[in-house]
Amino acid sequence: MKSQNLLYHIFTSRRRWLTMPATLILCALLALGGGYLLAEFGPLIAGVGLVGLFLGLWMMRDIEIAYWVVIGVSCLLPFASFPFSIGFTPTLLDAALGALFLIWVLQIAAGVQRDFISTPLTLPIILFMMLAMGAFIFGLAHAPLTPYVLRHFGEVLLSVALFFLIINIVRDADRLRRFARILILGAFAASILGILLYAIASYISEDLVMDALSKLAILGYPAGPGVLRYIRDDPELAMRATSTSVDPNVLGSLLNLTLGIAAPQLFARRPLFRRRYLVLIVGAMALCMGLTISRSALVGVGVSLTLVAALRYRKLWLLLLAALALILILPQTQGYVAHFVAGLQGEDLATQMRFGEYKDAFTLIGRYPWLGVGFAGSPDIDTYIGVANVYLLIAEQMGLVGLASFLVVMAVLFVRFWRTRSLAAAAPELEPLWWGLHAGLIGALVGGVFDHYFFNLDFHHSVTLFWIVVGLATATTDIIQRQAAPATSENSPTR
């Protein structure tokens, strides 16, 4: 519809003060951007830049395309950056998120969106962001502000703010389902790529995969033998799948979040994909997560799907028990089982290092319990910021007050979830997705006990994906409640 086309509103507006400057700015950007890329980087990069430009125009035509780009970059090129500097080296995700927010602001200016939706999570999230900014400023009293810290802190705030954009643009079931499809497809694509690279390295040539991944160095990725990852970084032990996520635990965290969303679709009356395709999607994601040998991801998705099986979809027990049996019986998985058991017993080096990090984190939190030490660095030479636990990491940076504010956000989210379950049961087309989005968040929160990706300055894409899912889960609850409101009013007694 033309009423939803931002370019239509801008370039056909009767207000010439809006139309003419927008046209001139677009032409200038075309000329300057194309000339700079051609002169500085040659025809190949210029061609890629031209494709990116047309993609940007497509994004302006439909804000959903901008969302697709954010998801695609987060899943497939999460650490990619532009091959040039503008005082700092911007990432593809920076550009995608910036474009998404710019389009939203332009829609508001053009009158496409005239109202702002608020939910019970709005104030808690604003408070959480304000406390983060306060901790950031407070921390500068004992640590210098660097461009790196400033930029990455800004990225994290932008990712949290993505929640407000999601709940304001996802207002109907059809758009919600499209958004969820793109998220699952992005994780599926990363899974397929991870499986293919793992198979080639295992059965054909490790050098071939190393060379292929090293070609991403032009986009800021690492290169050389280090792109292949093994248990305890020992080539004599099992290889771990990474896809294009650099670290197997990062890939595992992505699949932990999205597998919880996709699995309940197997029991939907009207799944997001045809069931035969959905089986392939869920199977590939589960296989790739197994190949990452990420214990935190396995525990997270195991807990989330167990809760879904116990509370709603009993048939899911069969899949979980079958998966557990295969893991315990197959010869190919015995190394995985041994690695998992060693972690539970605290015998391997990685687990022992985590225990050391936990001890150091408690020392730091004990010294600065209320507001933390900020995001730039620790004031004490014998402590540091960094621990493989998202809750301890938040407490280090924002103190117990900041951690409490984050837990309040999650508590409000899941209290709404629990109170809405009877209404969700009356919405069969949305109920599996509603359960899945909350299951994905449960998996992420449980995995966060052992990892730190969903609130870490170094993993912007993970923070982005987490808050997208928080926004989608909230939007789903809002849609279900709005759909139930007319039925409630019709059944209420009249005077």
Side-chain angles (χ1 to χ4, degrees):
M1 295 177 59
K2 286 184 177 181
S3 62
Q4 295 178 343
N5 189 331
L6 180 61
L7 291 179
Y8 174 83
H9 275 268
I10 292 179
F11 292 105
T12 63
S13 174
R14 294 180 180 178
R15 291 169 290 185
R16 297 184 64 84
W17 64 267
L18 178 63
T19 303
M20 291 302 296
T23 304
L24 292 174
I25 290 173
L26 178 61
C27 292
L29 290 175
L30 281 170
L32 291 175
Y36 174 78
L37 290 175
L38 186 62
E40 189 72 18
F41 300 104
L44 178 61
I45 299 298
V48 173
L50 187 62
V51 171
L53 176 63
F54 281 108
L55 186 61
L57 293 176
W58 193 17
M59 290 163 62
M60 290 189 66
R61 186 179 184 275
D62 188 346
I63 197 169
E64 287 191 30
I65 306 303
Y67 170 84
W68 298 357
V69 173
V70 169
I71 292 298
V73 171
S74 297
C75 293
L76 296 173
L77 289 171
F79 298 102
S81 59
F82 289 96
F84 55 82
S85 174
I86 53 174
F88 65 94
T89 303
T91 66
L92 298 187
L93 184 55
D94 290 337
L97 275 176
L100 180 60
F101 276 94
L102 176 62
I103 294 166
W104 186 40
V105 171
L106 290 176
Q107 283 190 341
I108 295 173
V112 177
Q113 180 173 330
R114 299 179 181 276
D115 57 343
F116 181 85
I117 289 181
S118 178
T119 77
L121 274 79
T122 298
L123 287 179
I125 291 178
I126 290 175
L127 177 61
F128 175 69
M129 296 176 67
M130 292 177 63
L131 287 171
M133 289 186 284
F136 176 79
I137 295 171
F138 175 78
L140 297 180
H142 54 73
L145 177 63
T146 64
Y148 177 88
V149 172
L150 179 61
R151 169 194 162 192
H152 286 275
F153 178 74
E155 290 173 344
V156 167
L157 284 185
L158 193 66
S159 295
V160 177
L162 192 56
F163 167 85
F164 303 108
L165 189 148
I166 293 294
I167 63 172
N168 275 276
I169 65 176
V170 181
R171 302 189 181 193
D172 60 83
D174 290 337
R175 174 168 278 188
L176 171 66
R177 290 168 65 88
R178 289 195 298 271
F179 274 40
R181 285 192 190 101
I182 294 301
L183 181 57
I184 293 173
L185 286 176
F188 172 62
S191 300
I192 292 295
L193 183 58
I195 293 170
L196 288 175
L197 292 174
Y198 185 93
I200 293 172
S202 299
Y203 301 107
I204 300 178
S205 170
E206 290 187 357
D207 291 338
L208 184 61
V209 173
M210 182 181 67
D211 292 341
L213 291 176
S214 295
K215 293 186 184 300
L216 293 175
I218 191 174
L219 297 177
Y221 270 73
V227 299
L228 300 181
R229 303 296 294 272
Y230 306 87
I231 293 178
R232 295 199 294 272
D233 292 326
D234 184 354
E236 299 298 323
L237 299 178
M239 181 183 294
R240 306 177 66 185
T242 61
S243 189
T244 51
S245 294
V246 178
D247 186 278
N249 291 325
V250 175
L251 177 59
S253 69
L254 165 66
L255 298 175
N256 173 20
L257 183 67
T258 52
L259 192 55
I261 299 172
Q265 290 296 311
L266 294 169
F267 311 100
R269 295 182 186 178
R270 184 190 167 195
L272 295 174
F273 306 93
R274 292 187 178 181
R275 212 169 301 277
R276 60 177 178 271
Y277 300 137
L278 187 61
V279 171
L280 173 64
I281 290 171
V282 173
M285 292 167 66
L287 175 59
C288 187
M289 192 182 71
L291 295 176
T292 65
I293 317 182
S294 173
R295 293 171 291 193
S296 60
L298 179 64
V299 172
V301 78
V303 171
S304 65
L305 294 184
T306 297
L307 288 174
V308 172
L311 296 175
R312 182 60 180 92
Y313 298 107
R314 300 291 192 269
K315 293 181 180 179
L316 185 56
W317 281 117
L318 299 176
L319 294 180
L320 293 175
L321 292 174
L324 179 62
L326 289 174
I327 292 173
L328 294 176
I329 294 172
L330 289 177
Q332 294 87 346
T333 61
Q334 295 312 298
Y336 189 103
V337 173
H339 183 59
F340 188 84
V341 172
L344 291 177
Q345 296 176 344
E347 295 177 350
D348 67 328
L349 180 60
T351 304
Q352 293 171 359
M353 291 177 63
R354 274 187 169 89
F355 290 158
E357 290 179 353
Y358 296 162
K359 180 181 177 182
D360 294 340
F362 281 117
T363 299
L364 179 60
I365 295 167
R367 294 178 185 176
Y368 307 94
W370 302 117
L371 296 178
V373 298
F375 295 80
S378 172
D380 302 326
I381 194 171
D382 61 332
T383 58
Y384 55 91
I385 298 176
V387 56
N389 180 301
V390 70
Y391 307 102
L392 294 180
L393 182 62
I394 294 175
E396 284 184 339
Q397 296 169 328
M398 299 173 56
L400 297 178
V401 175
L403 176 60
S405 70
F406 174 76
L407 295 177
V408 166
V409 172
M410 295 297 105
V412 172
L413 175 77
F414 284 104
V415 166
R416 296 187 77 216
F417 161 77
W418 189 251
R419 291 178 175 175
T420 311
R421 65 191 188 282
S422 60
L423 298 178
E429 292 188 356
L430 287 179
E431 186 188 16
L433 180 55
W434 179 78
W435 277 97
L437 289 165
H438 289 88
L441 291 173
I442 291 172
L445 294 172
V446 172
V449 175
F450 311 101
D451 274 316
H452 52 99
Y453 302 112
F454 294 116
F455 193 75
N456 191 307
L457 299 188
D458 296 326
F459 299 96
H460 181 203
H461 72 285
S462 295
V463 183
T464 299
L465 290 170
F466 179 83
W467 288 99
I468 283 176
V469 177
V470 172
L472 291 176
T474 304
T476 309
T477 298
D478 291 343
I479 292 171
I480 289 173
Q481 291 178 346
R482 286 199 297 271
Q483 288 181 349
T488 303
S489 61
E490 290 175 5
N491 294 331
S492 61
T494 58
R495 295 183 179 181

